[in-house]
Amino acid sequence: MARRFYKYFPWLFVLGDGLVVVLSLILTHLVVSSYVFVDNMNTGLYGVYILIWLLLIIYRKDYKVGRTTDYIFTLQKLFGSLLWFFSIISVLWIAFQAYHLSRLFLLVNAGAMLSLLSVYRVSVHIVLKQYRSRGGNYRNAVIIGKGGTSYKLAKVFQHRKDFGINFLGYYDDISSCMETRGSLADFFRDVKEMDLDLIYINEKLEMSTMKKIINYADEHYIKVKVIPGGNLQLEKKLSFSKYGDFFVININAIPLDSALNRVSKRAFDILFSLFVTVFILSWMIPLVGLLIKLESKGPIFFIQKRNGENNRVFKCLKFRSMTPNDYADTHQAVKNDPRITRIGTFLRSSSLDEMPQFLNVLIGDMSIVGPRPHTVPMNENFRTQIEKYNARHKIKPGITGLAQVKGYRGEIIKPYQIRSRVRLDYFYIQNWTLWMDLEIVFKTIRELGFNREDVY
């Protein structure tokens, strides 16, 4: 049928992706050749380059644009494909000694592909949603069993036309309304004429009825989904675990429970912190250390116990910005704090006092991005006052975080400030992606340059 355009859409999507990559190569050639001499474009080499990209996105099924997914998911999938692509290209570049493709060329092309493909794929996503909202590429669906949360799902279908779900009505033996098409027996009689794509089953149906519906759907290539009851309609992303033939629902799983996600985040942390350590801290520590020593007696580093992952206490490193005192763990720094030294004022206003924490990241106590760690006494105080405060310790603390780039940093004066921090930390933990980490890093760099009001 015309609405089933998936026979053609994947190939159109892949073709569009290929044309965008060709455009990125042309732009890269023009940009790089304006700075350094570049040989004429090797058509064969670039053909292989494009072919690898096309095979990769077909393998990863990037052309599948989910009906209920948002633009962020589309960009995340693109970023994952780009990481894989340039990892493969890097290996081949070394293995075949393709040094006529300079590192500058690959770097510029990576930026060009990220920019152009982001625009292309988000545009496709928007166009596809608009097409579905106007009645194209729809899926016929019924709900079997009207009680519980079935009504809410039907309302979603009616209000979110961009999902492309054409709701045909309910089948139920007890409840009846304008949208009820008949009983369960009527369903098995009508289904042959309905050209059905999706069946949503109320969880309260009898198991024997469920099995009968699922068996029929399997034989006729119809997808079946179960509608969870009100107890499972939570503000959480649910996942499943399998114990033999028995399934259980994971209520409070987080993205970083996944081994692949943990490895990705840790790899990013190691690469980033290693770069900073080698190229910045290697000369910054001796220089700043000398300035600290010249102004006041005491150690170069201020080492403070803070709570980390699973509330484990670790030693957090900072450049010492105050004269040695007995209140560092219990009294926050305030504006015009007499304990802060002159070099300390500069370090704190520029956030350079936090730089040694990249060593904490390297050894595994912290992450580049995560909830900011508090001192042990402050942690105990907030834990008894703020709901879900302890949930922020599910992952490693970070040098920067979502709360910080949203403006919640520096001295905590009013209760709403710590509540807002905890709320944003909780959102970050529940919705973590590598893309979000990169976005927060870029926003942090921007904040360091343009917004220094609450840092002292």
Side-chain angles (χ1 to χ4, degrees):
M1 294 178 65
R3 65 185 175 84
R4 296 182 182 276
F5 69 27
Y6 280 122
K7 180 178 180 181
Y8 307 104
F9 176 76
W11 299 111
L12 292 173
F13 180 94
V14 170
L15 176 62
D17 240 47
L19 292 174
V20 172
V21 173
V22 171
L23 178 60
S24 75
L25 287 170
I26 294 170
L27 289 176
T28 302
H29 187 85
L30 292 173
V31 170
V32 175
S33 61
S34 65
Y35 291 97
V36 296
F37 175 76
V38 180
D39 293 332
N40 291 330
M41 295 184 72
N42 187 324
T43 307
L45 180 63
Y46 290 145
V48 173
Y49 193 86
I50 296 166
L51 180 62
I52 292 171
W53 173 255
L54 296 180
L55 291 174
L56 178 65
I57 65 170
I58 291 171
Y59 175 75
R60 285 174 50 83
K61 298 181 179 179
D62 285 11
Y63 51 82
K64 286 195 171 183
V65 181
R67 295 176 178 273
T68 60
T69 56
D70 56 19
Y71 308 127
I72 298 298
F73 180 81
T74 297
L75 292 174
Q76 289 169 0
K77 200 161 189 178
L78 168 62
F79 186 73
S81 295
L82 285 170
L83 282 178
W84 275 107
F85 176 68
F86 282 103
S87 297
I88 294 169
I89 292 298
S90 298
V91 171
L92 295 176
W93 185 74
I94 295 170
F96 292 97
Q97 298 182 354
Y99 300 131
H100 43 285
L101 271 180
S102 69
R103 279 170 287 195
L104 176 62
F105 187 95
L106 293 175
L107 184 63
V108 174
N109 187 240
M113 285 181 66
L114 177 60
S115 304
L116 295 175
L117 286 170
S118 294
V119 173
Y120 167 70
R121 292 199 179 183
V122 170
S123 298
V124 169
H125 198 144
I126 292 171
V127 169
L128 192 52
K129 277 186 171 292
Q130 290 295 319
Y131 180 62
R132 286 168 176 166
S133 66
R134 288 180 169 84
N137 184 229
Y138 61 88
R139 290 287 180 265
N140 286 326
V142 296
I143 296 177
I144 299 181
K146 190 175 182 297
T149 52
S150 297
Y151 173 76
K152 291 183 179 180
L153 179 62
K155 285 296 181 186
V156 170
F157 293 153
Q158 291 167 4
H159 288 102
R160 294 298 303 271
K161 297 295 185 183
D162 58 302
F163 287 168
I165 305 294
N166 180 31
F167 176 54
L168 301 178
Y170 301 97
Y171 283 92
D172 193 281
D173 284 338
I174 301 173
S175 300
S176 64
C177 67
M178 294 272 303
E179 295 172 321
T180 303
R181 297 175 64 101
S183 66
L184 295 180
D186 293 329
F187 166 75
F188 287 103
R189 185 193 66 219
D190 298 345
V191 67
K192 298 174 184 178
E193 308 297 328
M194 291 174 68
D195 191 26
L196 203 58
D197 301 292
L198 294 163
I199 300 172
Y200 292 87
I201 302 176
N202 190 293
E203 67 161 1
K204 293 182 180 179
L205 282 184
E206 293 182 0
M207 184 58 67
S208 59
T209 304
M210 274 195 185
K211 287 183 176 180
K212 187 177 179 181
I213 293 168
I214 293 169
N215 289 338
Y216 179 88
D218 285 343
E219 291 178 6
H220 294 82
Y221 318 112
I222 302 171
K223 291 187 180 297
V224 179
K225 300 176 185 289
V226 176
I227 307 169
N231 292 335
L232 291 178
Q233 295 295 333
L234 305 172
E235 293 181 3
K236 291 176 178 288
K237 294 180 179 179
L238 304 180
S239 60
F240 296 86
S241 295
K242 187 177 181 182
Y243 300 86
D245 294 328
F246 191 80
F247 284 89
V248 296
I249 300 174
N250 304 315
I251 297 296
N252 62 347
I254 61 174
L256 286 171
D257 286 339
S258 161
L260 179 61
N261 287 343
R262 288 198 304 273
V263 169
S264 299
K265 186 170 176 64
R266 184 59 185 150
F268 172 68
D269 286 344
I270 291 173
L271 291 173
F272 198 112
S273 59
L274 192 61
F275 178 86
V276 172
T277 300
V278 172
F279 294 103
I280 300 176
L281 290 182
S282 57
W283 57 264
M284 181 179 283
I285 290 176
L287 177 60
V288 174
L290 178 62
L291 295 174
I292 291 172
K293 285 288 190 181
L294 288 174
E295 184 173 2
S296 63
K297 293 181 179 179
I300 295 172
F301 295 114
F302 173 60
I303 302 175
Q304 190 176 51
K305 289 184 178 180
R306 299 195 179 189
N307 294 87
E309 188 177 18
N310 296 324
N311 254 326
R312 181 177 59 83
V313 176
F314 72 99
K315 293 179 179 179
C316 183
L317 297 174
K318 297 178 71 173
F319 282 126
R320 182 172 61 84
S321 59
M322 295 182 176
T323 54
N325 64 90
D326 297 327
Y327 311 106
D329 288 342
T330 55
H331 288 59
Q332 297 181 73
V334 297
K335 201 166 187 176
N336 300 318
D337 197 315
R339 297 174 296 172
I340 300 177
T341 62
R342 284 176 297 176
I343 182 62
T345 300
F346 169 73
L347 292 173
R348 296 176 77 92
S349 65
S350 59
S351 294
L352 291 177
D353 61 322
E354 311 281 0
M355 290 296 289
Q357 287 168 31
F358 283 99
L359 298 175
N360 285 116
V361 174
L362 199 56
I363 62 178
D365 289 329
M366 293 179 66
S367 181
I368 299 295
V369 181
R372 284 294 293 156
H374 295 138
T375 63
V376 174
M378 286 175 65
N379 217 55
E380 288 300 313
N381 183 36
F382 291 143
R383 185 172 61 85
T384 59
Q385 297 178 15
I386 309 297
E387 184 182 4
K388 292 184 178 179
Y389 179 82
N390 250 3
R392 67 197 300 276
H393 295 296
K394 284 184 176 182
I395 63 173
K396 292 177 183 178
I399 296 176
T400 185
L402 181 61
Q404 284 62 50
V405 298
K406 293 291 184 181
Y408 295 100
R409 54 185 181 154
E411 183 184 6
I412 299 171
I413 302 173
K414 299 179 181 179
Y416 83 88
Q417 292 173 310
I418 183 61
R419 284 198 297 268
S420 296
R421 289 189 189 191
V422 171
R423 177 175 54 82
L424 288 167
D425 289 339
Y426 187 74
F427 177 87
Y428 170 80
I429 292 168
Q430 294 295 326
N431 298 277
W432 175 89
T433 62
L434 190 58
W435 180 266
M436 186 186 290
D437 273 7
L438 291 170
E439 188 178 12
I440 290 172
V441 168
F442 287 127
K443 286 184 177 179
T444 299
I445 294 170
R446 186 183 64 190
E447 289 285 310
L448 290 174
F450 300 102
N451 187 6
R452 313 298 308 157
E453 291 179 6
D454 298 321
V455 183
Y456 41 80

